[in-house]
Amino acid sequence: MSRKMLILYGSETGTAQDFAEQVWRDSKRFFFTGSVLPMDSYEVRNLIEEQLVVFVCSTTGQGDEPDNMRQFWKFLLRKKLLSNSLINLKFAVLGFGDSSYTKYNFVAKKLHKRLLQLGGIALMDVGLCDDQHDLGPSATYLPWLDNLWKRILQLYPLAPGSVAPEESPREFRWEVEVIDEDKENNSSVRRELENIYACSYSLSSSENPLVRLTVEENRRTTHEEHFQDVRLVSFKMLNPITWQPGDVLVLRPCNMEDRIKNLFDIFQEHNLPFHPETVVEIREVDSEMPVPDYLRAPISLRSLATQYWDLNATPRPRAFALLARNCLNDLEREKLVEFSSPAGQEDLFSYANRPRRNIIEVLQDFPNATSRLTLEILMELFQAIKPRSFSIASSPNIGRLQLLVAVVEYKSILSTPRRGLCSTWLKSLPPGGKIVGWLKKGIMKLPQDSSKPLVMVGPGTGLAPFRSILQQREAKFCDEKGGRSILFFGCRNRDRDFHCEEELKRMEVAGLLKLITAFSRDQEEKIYVQHKIREHQDLLRNLILGHGGYFFVAGSSKNMPQAVKESLTEVLGEDNVQQMVKTGRYQEETWS
């Protein structure tokens, strides 16, 4: 009986990839062979020959598949595929999503359904991991994986006399070796400040081109005494590139210097031979787990700690399992093993997730385990820095690419404030600083008929994509009659966090825009954008029902989008809003 298992993933931020790799790692305990690959890197026509496949996928935007899954999914949707095409395939689907979104885990659900339509045999119900769960995706993933292996081993039992080892024989993805620089050609080692992603052929494409940027201005848009620092960061483009309103800039941020110093101070404290200037080479063990192209050249530990390892991340259960591997202290080891087990997830939540304890702080809390780290463990211990997506807040007509970014900083039970990795990095960029990013098509689809009215709801930094739209309309229709534009903008205080106030009022005076504001803390009773929607119901009925207008929402996914949709439903009726959703006249771009 063949013991081949294929693991395919579609991942926007890398989370699905991380968990797919864990499935692959566990498969080695049960003597399976097979690769773990992005779906678009796999020749989908060969799927009819596969017998056992695990699919791990995330959902993006309004129920959209990730970039590295689109061609794979497009092929599966072909009408000429027969209903028994995958009759030999046994499969399982694990999804990653956010239950605050309307189309929660939509990609995993529709993939599961389509595989069944093509004759595939589901090993178990689709697993639905939720970022909103207190324990994060692991709350679903760990029991789902346990049940998956029970089912698979019923169908593919171990050979008589065989016993599955407690640990995977492929606990480490790659081989890592320190380079003796006296024997190596130093020109092969990347320069210290070189961006490791800039020459990656796997990250750039015609659809997601690389863009090189230099900072022109990094300006705070909120009052100095306001609790939140919001930045309008302006970039000059160093290579010719353009974008459309609603498009997105994808960035891979860097760790801050203080966090990098903390890491190497810990290494030094425990006499570990890991120094900033130490150069390593990362090599594949076999073709099942390839090394990403941006890690194939020799690289210093400083570059890894700056650009690749997420030193800000809250560790997942696997990190604690890795720390337990070589730990000689019984108390430390017992606690680490508990945190890595399904039964210990509540305790792990109290220790790590609730206070947002980062991996650096964990290393400090477990000194014995830290003193036993190896290079291979380091490469597994730290999560990779995930890409962050930002709606572009400017039109290409103004000659600058701009982002409107809220700097994340908050307090937990820990003494040191928690800070967002990417927003803190963006805040720190000085004029003249150079970065690279990738352009990506936005999920907002504007009407082809420019005479159609646009109703936009963008409180806080949700203003970003609408500012781009308005600047584009201002440039294009200065001598023409365009459709009416309505912007509902909300913030706490008129005089503290009214982003781009002068520009929006200028547009209003010019007749391009009707601006409707909601300042929630400027009066005793809180007023939000959803209240203003009800207040202007006659205007909305006229523009949307009378003139076929479009309705867009952008901003935090927490409570606002649902409250706005409920208000609009009160104004237009449920049937009308549902029809708008189906026809693309109601669209959301939200983020957590």
Side-chain angles (χ1 to χ4, degrees), residues 26-196:
D26 285 353
S27 74
K28 302 307 168 191
R29 292 180 52 223
F30 305 110
F31 311 109
F32 284 94
T33 62
S35 301
V36 54
L37 295 168
M39 293 188 197
D40 281 357
S41 295
Y42 172 76
E43 180 49 71
V44 64
R45 290 175 176 82
N46 294 338
L47 200 59
I48 59 173
E49 300 173 7
E50 303 290 350
Q51 296 184 16
L52 182 59
V53 181
V54 176
F55 300 89
V56 186
C57 53
S58 59
T59 295
T60 70
Q62 302 304 304
D64 300 318
E65 60 278 1
D67 288 344
N68 60 1
M69 177 182 171
R70 286 182 179 168
Q71 295 306 312
F72 180 92
W73 178 242
K74 184 178 179 181
F75 184 90
L76 286 189
L77 290 180
R78 291 186 175 185
K79 293 181 179 180
K80 68 178 183 180
L81 295 179
L82 301 177
S83 60
N84 63 352
S85 298
L86 301 180
I87 196 171
N88 296 317
L89 176 69
K90 297 179 179 66
F91 72 91
V93 178
L94 178 66
F96 289 83
D98 185 322
S99 59
S100 65
Y101 287 80
T102 302
K103 293 190 175 181
Y104 166 58
N105 259 314
F106 190 66
V107 170
K109 294 172 184 176
K110 66 183 183 181
L111 174 61
H112 184 89
K113 181 179 180 180
R114 183 57 176 158
L115 293 170
L116 289 174
Q117 290 173 344
L118 295 175
I121 302 168
L123 296 172
M124 54 197 300
D125 291 338
V126 58
L128 304 176
C129 297
D130 186 5
D131 282 342
Q132 292 294 322
H133 195 287
D134 285 344
L135 303 179
S138 297
T140 297
Y141 168 77
L142 290 174
W144 184 90
L145 185 59
D146 186 53
N147 290 330
L148 175 67
W149 286 122
K150 289 177 181 177
R151 177 65 178 138
I152 288 176
L153 291 175
Q154 290 175 350
L155 299 171
Y156 300 87
L158 299 178
S162 297
V163 178
E166 288 294 321
E167 292 185 347
S168 171
R170 279 295 302 275
E171 217 28 65
F172 304 124
R173 294 170 292 178
W174 308 310
E175 294 177 346
V176 188
E177 183 181 359
V178 175
I179 290 180
D180 185 347
E181 294 186 76
D182 291 335
K183 297 180 181 179
E184 292 288 331
N185 177 6
N186 287 336
S187 64
S188 69
V189 180
R190 284 180 282 205
R191 296 188 300 276
E192 192 67 36
L193 298 179
E194 181 182 355
N195 189 295
I196 65 173

Side-chain angles (χ1 to χ4, degrees), residues 165-449:
E166 288 294 321
E167 292 185 347
S168 171
R170 279 295 302 275
E171 217 28 65
F172 304 124
R173 294 170 292 178
W174 308 310
E175 294 177 346
V176 188
E177 183 181 359
V178 175
I179 290 180
D180 185 347
E181 294 186 76
D182 291 335
K183 297 180 181 179
E184 292 288 331
N185 177 6
N186 287 336
S187 64
S188 69
V189 180
R190 284 180 282 205
R191 296 188 300 276
E192 192 67 36
L193 298 179
E194 181 182 355
N195 189 295
I196 65 173
Y197 306 106
C199 297
S200 169
Y201 59 81
S202 63
L203 298 179
S204 299
S205 67
S206 58
E207 293 185 353
N208 303 115
L210 179 82
V211 55
R212 299 179 184 273
L213 304 166
T214 184
V215 180
E216 282 194 332
E217 185 183 26
N218 194 335
R219 174 170 60 86
R220 179 172 177 143
T221 67
T222 49
H223 192 281
E224 289 296 332
E225 296 180 1
H226 189 59
F227 80 99
Q228 188 171 51
D229 184 354
V230 176
R231 297 271 158 169
L232 184 64
V233 189
S234 299
F235 299 96
K236 178 182 178 182
M237 293 161 290
L238 300 180
N239 58 319
I241 207 86
T242 190
W243 64 93
Q244 297 299 318
D247 284 354
V248 169
L249 180 68
V250 179
L251 298 173
R252 289 182 181 254
C254 295
N255 289 300
M256 302 304 294
E257 280 297 326
D258 59 342
R259 188 100 351 131
I260 298 166
K261 183 178 184 303
N262 288 344
L263 177 65
F264 286 104
D265 285 347
I266 290 171
F267 291 161
Q268 185 175 6
E269 177 184 348
H270 293 289
N271 296 314
L272 292 168
F274 310 140
H275 308 288
E277 64 276 8
T278 301
V279 176
V280 299
E281 187 171 25
I282 303 164
R283 294 191 292 265
E284 296 174 3
V285 176
D286 53 43
S287 60
E288 289 190 10
M289 180 61 71
V291 176
D293 59 355
Y294 45 81
L295 291 181
R296 288 178 188 165
I299 187 171
S300 71
L301 292 188
R302 181 190 295 279
S303 291
L304 286 171
T306 302
Q307 300 183 56
Y308 183 67
W309 293 336
D310 189 345
L311 306 184
N312 210 46
T314 298
R316 296 183 183 135
R318 172 160 165 73
F320 295 95
L322 287 164
L323 286 171
R325 281 181 66 89
N326 299 329
C327 183
L328 302 179
N329 180 285
D330 290 341
L331 288 176
E332 279 193 25
R333 181 177 174 80
E334 181 181 352
K335 180 57 69 174
L336 290 166
V337 170
E338 178 188 354
F339 284 160
S340 65
S341 69
Q345 292 310 290
E346 291 290 345
D347 288 336
L348 176 60
F349 173 74
S350 297
Y351 169 72
N353 297 70
R354 179 178 288 126
R356 305 298 299 172
R357 198 181 302 269
N358 64 52
I359 183 62
I360 298 292
E361 292 162 333
V362 170
L363 293 178
Q364 292 168 333
D365 285 349
F366 293 91
N368 185 275
T370 301
S371 70
R372 307 282 296 177
L373 290 173
T374 66
L375 274 176
E376 285 78 9
I377 291 178
L378 283 184
M379 288 304 301
E380 302 287 336
L381 182 68
F382 300 106
Q383 298 173 37
I385 291 176
K386 305 297 189 293
R388 271 69 165 181
S389 297
F390 294 89
S391 292
I392 299 173
S394 61
S395 162
N397 297 84
I398 71 167
R400 295 183 302 279
L401 189 152
Q402 296 179 317
L403 302 179
L404 188 64
V405 181
V407 180
V408 177
E409 181 174 340
Y410 58 95
K411 291 183 179 180
S412 72
I413 61 173
L414 302 177
S415 58
T416 306
R418 308 292 93 183
R419 294 185 174 90
L421 172 59
C422 193
S423 62
T424 303
W425 171 69
L426 283 169
K427 175 184 175 179
S428 73
L429 293 176
K434 292 180 172 57
I435 67 169
V436 299
W438 295 264
L439 287 179
K440 181 180 174 182
K441 291 296 180 186
I443 61 174
M444 288 186 175
K445 302 295 187 290
L446 297 176
Q448 293 185 349
D449 183 353

Side-chain angles (χ1 to χ4, degrees), residues 477-573:
F477 299 118
C478 57
D479 297 320
E480 302 176 31
K481 184 173 178 58
R484 187 101 183 262
S485 297
I486 311 294
L487 173 66
F488 288 86
F489 174 79
C491 62
R492 289 196 171 208
N493 307 102
R494 181 188 294 272
D495 61 351
R496 294 194 171 221
D497 55 337
F498 191 170
H499 312 309
C500 309
E501 177 182 4
E502 292 183 4
E503 182 180 16
L504 294 175
K505 288 184 174 178
R506 174 181 56 76
M507 290 179 177
E508 185 175 36
V509 170
L512 178 73
L513 166 71
K514 179 174 177 58
L515 179 63
I516 300 171
T517 54
F519 304 109
S520 62
R521 305 301 199 274
D522 277 356
Q523 61 284 313
E524 185 174 339
E525 182 182 357
K526 293 177 182 176
I527 298 176
Y528 298 109
V529 287
Q530 58 264 31
H531 300 129
K532 292 293 184 177
I533 287 171
R534 295 190 190 100
E535 183 180 321
H536 292 81
Q537 55 184 300
D538 291 340
L539 173 64
L540 292 175
R541 287 194 190 105
N542 177 46
L543 292 176
I544 295 174
L545 300 182
H547 293 84
Y550 281 60
F551 193 92
F552 297 94
V553 184
S556 170
S557 63
K558 191 173 183 181
N559 298 313
M560 181 273 296
Q562 184 60 32
V564 166
K565 195 170 188 179
E566 289 173 358
S567 292
L568 189 67
T569 299
E570 289 181 28
V571 171
L572 302 182

